[in-house]
Amino acid sequence: MTAMDDREMRKEARARRKKFASALATIILGGLIAGVGVAIGLYRTGEEATVWGVAAGVGVGLAMGGLFMAWIMRPGANGWRTETEPLKRDRLQTQRARQLWVFPMVAILMLTLAAWSTEDILSGRGELSDFLMIGLPVLYAWLILAVTMGWDGQSRKNRRFLEDELTQVLRARAMIAGFVVLMAGATVALGLGAWRPEVGVAALPFALTAGAVAAGIRFAWLDREFGKDG
């Protein structure tokens, strides 16, 4: 395999600069949203406090995602300039594994924040913002699932580098783990629902998030273990 030719290198460099700038903008935007949400939410009560809490959570998620992307696309990372196809495959697969460590952590953070909204919903004080808040970890759960299954834009664009027999094996094992956790969580939610229907419904975001997090982390863990063996 030969290294990138000049045209491909210039094209990739431009794309990386744009992505780095977008990542910095995302960090700044997320930080501003989180800061404003915390600053204003501290002096509010009830529904207003919840709304600003949701904003702060969204801001934190944006900032963490932007930070992750900025690190990958940082100007000082020059290894991609001379990478062969095997090296590019390794880089992209490493990025995927990192995403499957970071996104579950963000989902767990969102789930922790959503616990407060769940409490308000169960006590009958729930507002629209509370229901939106408990939906955030589920959105991250779908994002984790998309990366694990190769449905995200990065995976589709670089399918020939990210799809191989090992990936299929890791994906199968990861999805089995996620399915088992999801079934366990849904079973618990069913039991809670038989006791108190509203509690069972409120438990579903936890079950859904737990299943996706288990699949994502399992994939990343197996990828690391197989990498050691290689």
Side-chain angles (χ1 to χ4, degrees):
M1 297 294 179
T2 60
M4 287 183 174
D5 60 30
D6 290 341
R7 180 178 299 177
E8 290 178 345
M9 187 178 297
R10 288 194 296 270
K11 182 179 179 181
E12 179 70 13
R14 287 194 300 270
R16 289 178 66 88
R17 286 196 296 269
K18 290 180 180 178
K19 290 178 181 179
F20 180 71
S22 298
L24 291 180
T26 301
I27 294 172
I28 294 172
L29 177 61
L32 288 174
I33 294 174
V36 171
V38 171
I40 298 179
L42 288 175
Y43 300 98
R44 298 291 188 276
T45 58
E47 172 66 7
E48 286 187 281
T50 303
V51 170
W52 290 108
V54 171
V58 171
V60 170
L62 285 174
M64 291 185 66
L67 183 62
F68 175 75
M69 183 57 65
W71 172 256
I72 293 176
M73 298 297 169
R74 66 192 188 278
N78 296 321
W80 61 272
R81 293 180 180 275
T82 58
E83 65 184 356
T84 60
E85 286 198 6
L87 289 177
K88 184 173 183 178
R89 179 178 293 106
D90 290 342
R91 175 174 63 82
L92 291 171
Q93 291 179 352
T94 298
Q95 288 179 10
R96 178 180 59 191
R98 288 174 179 169
Q99 288 178 328
L100 292 176
W101 284 113
V102 173
F103 291 155
M105 297 301 104
V106 177
I108 292 172
L109 174 61
M110 295 294 101
L111 192 61
T112 302
L113 296 174
W116 299 97
S117 295
T118 302
E119 183 179 352
D120 289 338
I121 292 172
L122 293 179
S123 64
R125 303 191 307 271
E127 302 289 346
L128 177 60
S129 58
D130 294 309
F131 290 96
L132 293 175
M133 187 65 193
I134 65 175
L136 286 177
V138 178
L139 290 177
Y140 272 97
W142 277 103
L143 178 59
I144 295 167
L145 177 64
V147 175
T148 303
M149 294 299 296
W151 296 339
D152 61 300
Q154 174 87 334
S155 298
R156 293 200 305 270
K157 179 181 178 182
N158 298 284
R159 189 170 299 277
R160 69 190 182 98
F161 297 108
L162 292 172
E163 292 294 329
D164 52 28
E165 292 183 2
L166 177 59
T167 294
Q168 294 174 7
V169 171
L170 300 186
R171 180 176 293 146
R173 294 186 183 183
M175 294 309 296
I176 289 172
F179 179 73
V180 170
V181 173
L182 176 61
M183 285 295 295
T187 302
V188 172
L190 175 63
L192 292 173
W195 170 53
R196 289 180 58 185
E198 67 276 14
V199 177
V201 172
L204 286 176
F206 293 84
L208 293 170
T209 305
V213 166
I217 290 180
R218 178 63 171 165
F219 189 104
W221 178 268
L222 289 172
D223 182 76
R224 188 180 72 169
E225 293 301 306
F226 275 89
K228 289 179 180 179
D229 294 339

